[in-house]
Structures are given as C-alpha cells and as structure tokens.
Amino acid sequence: MKLETVPLNESYAENGYVTNVSVYSEDEINNFRKNFDELESRFGKEKCQVGLIDWHFIESFVWDIATGSKVLDAIQEVMGKDLLLLGTHFFCKYPEKAPKSFVAWHQDVTYWGLEPSEAHTAWIALDDADEDNGSMLLIPGSHKQGQLPHETSNTGNNLLSINQQVSQEFIDESKAVQLELKAGEMSIHHGYLLHSSMSNGSGRRRCGLTVRFIPPYVKQVMQNSVGKRYSPILLRGSDYHHHFHETKHPYPLIVQ
C-alpha cells in the first residue's frame, strides 16, 4: 500500500514547520561550503559564528544559496506566491568545551519591528546538523499561541542578538522535537514557532544559513533588535503594497 504524504502547506499550517526538504545536491552544497570556508579563513570563527548578517548583498554565493529555485518553490508552497527576501544570517556553531554557547527558546519575529508580525525562516544546512552538534529544537504547533512574552535570559552565552528568551512558563520541553538535517537539506519554520538549540558537543562544525521571507503586506514600523531597517527584495510574485523602497537584485537569479 502506497502511503500518501501530507502536502507541505498542510503540514506547515498544522505544525508550524516542515523539514528535510532537499534543495541542493551534494556537489552544489560542497561548493557552497568551500565558499563559506574561505570566508571563515578570512574573517575568523568569532565573526562567522553569528556576525554574518545580510551577506547576500556582499557575496554572490550567499545570494545563490538563499534564492535557489528549490528553496523558493518550497517557500511559496508554505506561504504563498508573493515572496520578499527580508534578510539572511549565518549561524555557525563550533565545537567547544567551555563556555557552552546555546540559543534560548524564542520566536523569531519578536524584535523585528514588523506589522503584522509575520515572517517565515528557511534554515539551509551547509554542514550536517544533528543532536550532537546542536541542531534546532522546536515545539510543534506552538506557532498557534501567537506572540508570547519575552524576557532577558539570566544564563550567559545565549547567541541571540539581545539575550532574549521566552518566559519559561510557556515552554513545555517534553513536546520538543530535534531537527536533524543533512547538508543540502532545509527546514522552514513560522515566525511564531518556539525553537532553540543546545551547544555543540561534537568535534564537528554546525553551520547553516537562515533566510527570512515576508509577504508584501507586511511592513516595518520600528527598527529591529540590532537597530536596523530592512531592505527586502522581491523574488517572486508581485508587491502591490510597496511598504519598502524597491531594492534591486544584487546578483542574477540562478535557475537550477
């Protein structure tokens, strides 16, 4: 008997995420990894851990990772035909003994200054990501709770921009799911989905590119957590709202 798979949009609406979406071949992701390794050698691990924000404007390979046709096809399936690229951000965890870096439980859109607070994050694995090297933890269906209160974490080494975390009373870790991705795979999660990740206790790096998308009806009403305003780029569909100044593609789109 052939098992029917749940369409991405139905699974996403119910759970707030989809995972293990294959977007790049082994050769493609190996090439992207070589490009990132070169950045790492130039700028160092401290910079590359969380400091490479919106480098799709600077490095063509980052633009290529973020805008691959399989990436955009999957994003359209879960959020609709009109896509604005809001931003990109590398998250790179290195093996460490102490101190132990982690990402606290949070919701992405909390401090982004968006109205309505809607955004969708693709997490594209450059390295294999698993429990040993600190892959993402999430709570399925938690996006249905809407925006939750955040506070300042009282634990050091939180990698989030302003040391934020969701109040513990809203977290049921018994429901948490560990996302494991092979290099070249992608997960997508809703901006309200509760997620976190633990430290990298392996001997392997865990690097991925997060790519943030919004629909055109979203606007920015205040600066984000790092005091910036976004420069979204229309990738597919139409922008009938024009809440942002038009930003041209920094590089051509590559058709896979």
Side-chain angles (χ1 to χ4, degrees):
M1 179 179 176
K2 184 178 179 180
L3 296 176
E4 294 185 2
T5 57
V6 178
L8 285 187
N9 58 344
E10 292 182 18
S11 178
Y12 192 76
E14 177 63 26
N15 297 308
Y17 76 99
V18 292
T19 190
N20 300 111
V21 181
S22 180
V23 289
Y24 291 112
S25 69
E26 184 176 355
D27 286 344
E28 288 169 332
I29 203 65
N30 285 345
N31 185 57
F32 288 142
R33 189 184 306 110
K34 287 178 182 177
N35 281 280
F36 182 83
D37 291 345
E38 193 276 328
L39 275 189
E40 188 181 75
S41 68
R42 276 194 286 151
F43 294 99
K45 293 180 179 180
E46 183 175 354
K47 173 73 172 179
C48 290
Q49 185 175 42
V50 292
L52 301 178
I53 299 174
D54 289 343
W55 276 54
H56 59 282
F57 289 113
I58 302 169
E59 294 281 348
S60 61
F61 86 92
V62 183
W63 169 259
D64 291 343
I65 298 172
T67 62
S69 59
K70 292 180 182 178
V71 174
L72 302 186
D73 288 347
I75 292 292
Q76 281 187 306
E77 191 166 347
V78 302
M79 64 170 283
K81 64 184 181 66
D82 302 318
L83 301 183
L84 286 170
L85 170 61
L86 184 69
T88 60
H89 192 177
F90 280 105
F91 280 87
C92 201
K93 284 186 184 174
Y94 296 94
E96 57 182 349
K97 294 181 179 179
K100 297 289 188 179
S101 299
F102 73 104
V103 175
W105 288 102
H106 68 287
Q107 296 170 303
D108 281 345
V109 295
T110 306
Y111 299 105
W112 290 3
L114 303 178
E115 187 180 283
S117 294
E118 180 181 347
H120 307 265
T121 298
W123 205 100
I124 303 169
L126 270 70
D127 303 321
D128 291 349
D130 51 44
E131 183 175 2
D132 288 341
N133 65 0
S135 66
M136 190 187 305
L137 287 162
L138 54 81
I139 299 179
S142 56
H143 65 301
K144 297 177 182 178
Q145 300 176 79
Q147 182 66 65
L148 297 172
H150 283 59
E151 60 190 15
T152 301
S153 173
N154 58 10
T155 305
N157 307 314
N158 180 10
L159 294 176
L160 294 176
S161 60
I162 54 172
N163 196 29
Q164 70 266 35
Q165 66 176 14
V166 168
S167 303
Q168 194 61 39
E169 63 189 285
F170 298 102
I171 307 299
D172 183 355
E173 294 192 10
S174 69
K175 296 180 179 179
V177 171
Q178 189 96 41
L179 292 195
E180 298 199 344
L181 297 172
K182 292 294 185 182
E185 290 186 329
M186 172 180 77
S187 63
I188 309 169
H189 64 267
H190 192 282
Y192 282 151
L193 191 76
L194 288 169
H195 60 290
S196 68
S197 64
M198 301 305 291
S199 60
N200 183 353
S202 74
R204 299 172 288 115
R205 186 185 70 184
R206 189 224 66 168
C207 186
L209 179 69
T210 60
V211 190
R212 325 289 195 176
F213 297 90
I214 58 171
Y217 52 77
V218 171
K219 58 186 175 181
Q220 187 175 8
V221 295
M222 64 181 67
Q223 292 180 332
N224 62 23
S225 61
V226 293
K228 303 292 186 181
R229 300 197 69 84
Y230 296 106
S231 297
I233 302 172
L234 181 67
L235 295 181
R236 287 189 178 175
S238 301
D239 179 5
Y240 296 107
H241 297 272
H242 304 292
H243 290 314
F244 300 91
H245 293 296
E246 181 180 358
T247 300
K248 295 182 179 181
H249 291 191
Y251 305 97
L253 286 174
I254 294 178
V255 178
Q256 291 172 286

